[in-house]
Amino acid sequence: MSLPTSPPVLRMAGISKRFGALLANDDITLELARGEVLALLGENGAGKSTLVNILFGHYVADAGHVEIDGEALPPGNPRAALAAGIGMVHQHFTLADNLSVLDNILIGTEPLWRWRQGRRAARARVEELSRRFGLAVQPHARVGALSVGERQRVEIIKALYRGARVLILDEPTAVLTPQEADSLFATLAQLIADGMSVIFISHKLDEVLRVSHRVAVLRGGRLVATRAADATSRAELAELMVGRAVQMPARTRSDARDAAEMLADLAQVSVPAAVGHVALHDVSLSLRSGEIVGIAGVAGNGQVTLAEVMSGMLAPASGTVTIAGHAMPADPQRWIAAGVARVPEDRHAQGAVGELAVWENAIAEQLGQPGFTRAGVIRRGASRRFARELVSRFDVRGGGIDAPTRTLSGGNMQKLILGRALSVAGEGRVPRVVVASQPTWGLDIGAVAYVHRQLLDAADAGAAVLLISEDLDELMALADRIAVMHRGRLTEARPAQAWTLATLGLAMAGSDAAPAGAAASGGTEVCDAA
Amino acid sequence: MELLDIITAAPFWVAVLRVATPLIFGTLGVLLCERAGVLNLGIEGIMVAGAFSGWLAVYHGAPLWGGVAVAAAIGLAFGLLHGWLTVTLALSQHVAGLGVTMLATSLSYYAYRIGFASVSSPPTITPFAPMRWLDGVPVLGSILGPVLGAQTSLTLLALLLAPVIAWLLYRTPLGLAVRMVGENPAAAEGQGIRVGAVRIGAVMAGSALMAVGGAFLTLSAFNAFFFNMINGRGWICVALVVFASWRPGRALLGALLFAAFDALQLRLQQGGASLPGLPPLPYQLYLMLPYVLSIVALILVARRATYPQALMKPYRRGER
Amino acid sequence: QAKLKVAAVYTVPVEQQWVSRIHKALNEAKGRGEVDYVFSESVSNADYERVLRQYAEQGAALIVGESFAVEAAARKVAKDYPKTAFLMGSSGKPQAPNFSVFDNYIQEPSYLTGMIAGGMTKTNHIGMVGGYAIPEVNRLMHAFMEGARSVNPKVKFTVSFIGSWFDPPKAKEAAFAMIDKGADVLYAERFGVSDAAKERGKLAIGNVINTQPQYPATVVASALWNMEPTIGAALSKVKAGQFKSEDYGQYSLMKHKGAELAPLGTFEGKVPADLMVKVRAKEKAILDGKDTVKVVETEPKSTP
Amino acid sequence: MRLEARPTVSRVALVAAPVGAVAATLLICALLVTWAGAPVGRAYLSLLQGGFGSRFAWSETLTRATPLMLTGLAVAVAFRARLFNIGAEGQLYLGALAAVAVGGQVDGGAAPWAAQLPAGLLFVLMVAAGMLAGALLLLGPAWLKLRLGVDEVVTTLLLNFIVLLLVSWMLDGPMKDPLAMGWPQSVALLPDMELSRLMERSRVHSGLLAACALAVAVWGMNRYTVFGLQMRAVGANARAAAFAGMPVGRVTLLAALLSGALAGLAGVVEVAGRTSYLTLDMSPGYGYAGVVIAMLAGLNPLGVVAASVFVAGVLVGADGMSRAVGVPNAIADVIVAVALLTMLIATMLTRYRIRLDRVRGVA
Ligand SMILES: Nc1ncnc2c1ncn2[C@@H]1O[C@H](COP(=O)(O)OP(=O)(O)OP(=O)(O)O)[C@@H](O)[C@H]1O
Ligand SMILES: Nc1ncnc2c1ncn2[C@@H]1O[C@H](COP(=O)(O)OP(=O)(O)OP(=O)(O)O)[C@@H](O)[C@H]1O
Ligand SMILES: [Mg+2]
Ligand SMILES: [Mg+2]
């Protein structure tokens, strides 16, 4: 796409923001033209969200200011930003689950001191917007009952309803299927045609090149480059983001595994729907020693439930789960004892207790082991020695083993959890089964590479690895077989070579199109290299 | 059966409404605070302060409604304090609440003792009169007169408040804002709502209601101020809101139900040995009745309650 | 001549009926310039002993208080300060050398008010609201009931306890419930009861204090407790250096003017004359020592 | 106005915070004292003397602090496991009731069954009964919370009323002291069951030592034992604890038992150490004060000891002050309440700083 030439709608001048010792934004100056799509690119923690949060008034910059149409915006005031025509879709949804879609849209759009709401007119407007931009929503549905894609649409309508002229989208596609993402881009195209300007944040370089006019790259809080989209390439952008080329490990496949021992087996497992999880229907899957089986699917289709069943957190209503031939009850302790390494999806909510010290989290799964406790008392010496080893072996960087775990960055916390999980089987032994749920969410490329290496090593050492991920590239790169989850049902696990991104996307959307055979890449791949 | 005789008699319902009135005010007050995400354990003390200040104003010559206004103003002030502590400073809501209760209670007693250093019996005022004029209203009078006519206008106000607050919460932009900050403050802020202001405002309004509930005791149910006047009524309100699943209509119902148990308890107790089939029970068992039934009711509704998602979670802007 | 230092320690506020009588008597002594009077009110049981000790340390010559729920502690303190005179409301016995006891033995006027109540009820139904069923309350209620029955054998009683010393709205609620059941005379042991009677145009009988000024059309008669004789006796003994452990209970009896039937006041003439004749006769018999009122301290029960 | 987290907590701030809080409290309350027409300087001097200024003052402060330590510990344990136990008051009373039931006199001597036992064993039984009673009382709300999601703040609060009525009933009937002239008070404990005094002519009793020892024990438990680790984990993040294989339900119930037992013990200690029999107004809100103490201490068991002594000293001192300068004794509660709030604010300010945003005119 070409760069439109019109006066800037929005200008950020010299923005700096510090969180404690961390400089999240460092003197950033950026402009946005009318009808322009500006992509913000950068590693995790580069400061993208911080920048747009300052722009919207959630955060107050330590230095610098924001101008709309040449007028300075008062800092730290979302109301002023809204009034100036800025609409924002946050990285994490900001919707009230217990309220209706209409309530979520209507809030803040009317003067507070009125005896009644204009609900009827509002509803008509929402329906009109939803028709015009192809954003199907039901105004009276409770937000808590909506799928992720639907919530995304509600967020966008929220901004449109207020007549936003500048739309900020912070990683809007992270949780969408390729098809849903396409329909979002179609909507965007319409909006731009209407004169809207957009700031678009994404980690997906293809997307970025496709929809944006201009790309700004942040690294470590600094604006390192801006490029016209049609004058740059994936390779250049990747290099700019990371500052170096990153080697991604990939699977070398061998066929010997087909005969290997069956380590994990789910037979016709069903779980009824309940608060907090989607139902599973008749899920069957088996994993052999040394293989990696990937589960693809759009968030909210039952992967979480599957992960809970496979980590001993949830008992199926029917069907059996066996590990190495033994039927397993829903008791995490037993799963740990059976040598199952479990990496949960949400590291903050499930993976670690933020308030505990690093060393305490390191031994948390092994409190029953005589090595770490004696007569109910923790053997501090042994425990701390173990934690120190784990921290150095898995390269967990942070304030040391006595620091509260919450002070670790996301990537380092993930390494800690992974390290803990992989050492459940005891010193020098590999786990039998690894269950990893979204293990690389929110990690930067270096950390991703590290995690991938660990999973591959575990498989090579004979573990059966179940990899649940929404990142299709990750699945394609690591998995021997891939199955797709849709509405609580799991397709047959087919060899990775039998899938393409397109067929996977279709299957994730519920279409039953059989995957065409596609050549899989092998060996080592240099990310983004030509 | 005697039970039936009791609950079908008009005087019983007269008593129920009278016992319920301070609970209705208090429960609606707690409900407002909690809908905005703030637990207000200050209620017990705020009710004391309301009872005292309202009464004091009237004692010094203010009209009765002036006393109510003064109580409400004092409630607003303590609400501001609690809001500042829990919303602006994001302190633990449990402790701030207990602190406010201690402060409001002891300040009231202190002020009372300074004002009335050496009285040998509690000074009194002329309280609200029953709404006997209701008897004269055609049609309505003959239906409502016997029960409502025996109440004061504060009770009528309490009864009307429930639908008004329901309307406010579910039908006005302000109510939506209150519910939103109690469900997801970050989302509210993203839509331009001043989370702190709305929360503090709701806590202040709720506290004003609590204070008026306290004032009912000194200006209507009774005519003097006593130490220990509130006697745990505030805590009951906190329980009633959970029972009501944070809905104004059910809050009204809950308060009436609790009051009915209380009134029934008195009458059963007075029935003494005459209650057929039962040996004369110790009066303490009757007094327990409302509390035990509250717990039972709580257990019955627990599963279905959808509490405000952000309740007791302080919101600090720019923190994640 | 130096004023006598007197301290009082109360577990409730000084407005409470029972304590207000002591407070009044001591304030009067203070007003006469006889004593230096200091007091602490609303002292919890946990603090009671400390406050006693502090006053003793500060050199109070006489300490007045109520040791009902802190019997052991109060007696221990008295032992530790043998030079200080302790005059305590107590159901126990005096303790040598310096611990004397008193109590509100006003069952005699209670009996008399009971007679009046029995004569005044038209429905033959009397309601009685108490705080807790403790002996201090029970014996007055029993005397009252005896008195009522003596003039009106048909009279029926409803008794209830509100489980609090201090919840006037609740007491009022209990009284309302009794009126709803047909009671037309109420025994107002607690604050709040007379208000219910007043609102419903029923009658009430006062206890310990005379509340007729507040309820001129409601309170027919009151059984008054006067602490002046008790305090007076104790003060003079302390001054004379003759304070010993004694039971001051007798000073609360009618013959010592420690108790009396309050003047009928606004109800003068409204109580049937023949009834008053009986009342006065009984009163005189008591004063002359020819008649006594039985002390019953079990929990009173409603008439079935 | 908004809060901003400080990158680090400075040592100076940690010392300055309580000092500032106390100063602010004294300043605020000075207004009230002046309003009552009393001299502020003399008032505060007598507060200090009354709370901490003499052997007698210390003995009284420590006597008062003893039950506060135990209820404070009870609350700290429960809150640590995210069980909001507001019912320490009820647990205390039930504990005291159980203690009297086991260790109380019957007809002026030991009960027939107890007479056979050595005094030491009976004492142990009495303490155990009190702790068990408190523990079982909290077990119900904890179980209801786990199984049915019933809010424990409300159930524990309501149980306080129920227990008090139960105690009233017992003191009126089955457990009434026949020698108490009909007053609702329990029989006295056997003399052997009473705790020894730590100082002559004072009320400090060995319950104080027990409370301090338990504070150290709970601190050690939190820090060194598996259960302590599990309890902290469950309290901070139950989902993560469950994921790591910790028995969340069991840990919560055990924490409830421990918390209830500590509160029950507070009742035992009050009866055995101070009153020797149970009355309806034995506790001036020790259970509720426990919440205050625990929070002042930041849920740290050793902090609970310090906070108890501080609160008790202020209460005792302020109560003495009210008599010394003739202000209403409600001032004691006012000072404690103000001290609580300023202390909370001050500790918060060690971790956050207040930023006043420059608000430019909004167009
Ligand atoms: N409220 C906060 N308090 C403290 N640190 C913060 C806060 N918000 C962001 N940070 C830190 O600032 C840095 C920039 O964060 P930011 O969220 O802007 O990154 P990002 O570029 O959006 O990353 P991602 O791709 O993961 O969304 C990170 O190191 C983050 O930890
Ligand atoms: N709420 C917070 N309060 C204080 N510090 C925070 C907060 N959030 C993040 N930080 C700090 O910011 C840093 C980065 O945290 P974050 O979780 O964003 O990781 P990240 O920058 O995305 O790194 P990575 O991608 O390697 O995991 C951490 O060192 C953390 O201590
Ligand atoms: Mg990040
Ligand atoms: Mg971001």
Side-chain angles (χ1 to χ4, degrees), chain A residues 311-392:
Chain A
S311 9
M313 297 291 287
L314 191 66
S318 64
T320 54
V321 189
T322 52
I323 297 292
H326 299 285
M328 298 298 289
D331 175 1
Q333 197 110 67
R334 296 279 297 277
W335 285 67
I336 295 164
V340 181
R342 301 128 65 243
V343 178
E345 163 183 315
D346 186 335
R347 50 182 164 260
H348 293 280
Q350 270 199 307
V353 181
E355 302 307 308
L356 297 189
V358 168
W359 74 267
E360 289 173 318
N361 269 305
I363 60 157
E365 287 194 338
Q366 311 198 40
L367 289 176
Q369 306 293 320
F372 298 110
T373 58
R374 187 192 296 123
V377 176
I378 297 168
R379 298 176 61 175
R380 281 172 78 87
S383 303
R384 293 166 61 85
R385 213 166 21 250
F386 169 79
R388 247 190 304 269
E389 245 166 60
L390 192 149
V391 160
S392 81

Side-chain angles (χ1 to χ4, degrees), chain A residues 43-46 91 347 410 442-443, chain B residues 320:
Chain A
E43 282 183 289
N44 296 120
Q91 186 168 3
R347 50 182 164 260
L443 302 196
Chain B
R320 59 176 198 190

Side-chain angles (χ1 to χ4, degrees), chain B residues 52 87 101 296:
Chain B
F52 170 63
V87 179
T101 280
V296 172

Side-chain angles (χ1 to χ4, degrees), chain B residues 11 15 18-19 112-113 118-122 221-223 226-229 231 233 266-267 269-271 283 287, chain C residues 13-15 20 23 27 41 132 158 160-161 166-168 172-174 176-178 180-181 191-192 195 214 302:
Chain B
R18 203 172 34 227
V19 176
Y112 175 77
R113 201 30 105 218
S118 199
V119 287
S120 57
S121 73
F222 208 64
N223 58 0
F226 288 89
F227 292 77
N228 236 338
M229 183 120 207
N231 214 357
R233 286 177 177 84
L266 269 173
R267 282 157 181 79
Q269 193 195 136
Q270 289 170 8
Y283 69 89
L287 290 174
Chain C
V14 291
E15 287 93 336
S20 71
H23 190 54
N27 265 330
E41 61 178 339
Y132 292 99
T158 301
S160 103
F161 294 95
F166 244 171
D167 197 339
K172 193 172 168 187
E173 213 49 64
F176 275 140
M178 289 173 172
D180 293 342
K181 287 185 79 174
F191 280 129
D195 300 82
Q214 283 104 306
S302 302

Side-chain angles (χ1 to χ4, degrees), chain A residues 84 224 236:
Chain A
V224 290
E236 188 194 13

Side-chain angles (χ1 to χ4, degrees), chain A residues 96-154:
Chain A
D97 283 359
N98 281 337
L99 303 188
S100 71
V101 168
L102 191 59
D103 279 342
N104 270 286
I105 294 171
L106 209 51
I107 174 82
T109 58
E110 302 173 297
L112 288 187
W113 298 96
R114 278 242 217 109
W115 275 109
R116 47 189 315 269
Q117 294 173 306
R119 290 180 76 88
R120 188 167 314 186
R123 187 177 169 179
R125 261 262 347 261
V126 169
E127 277 162 357
E128 201 257 337
L129 284 171
S130 122
R131 246 194 326 277
R132 185 140 74 95
F133 295 104
L135 298 160
V137 292
Q138 291 172 333
H140 287 297
R142 207 180 66 96
V143 166
L146 299 186
S147 73
V148 189
E150 287 171 306
R151 286 177 203 220
Q152 187 71 271
R153 295 198 281 265
V154 176

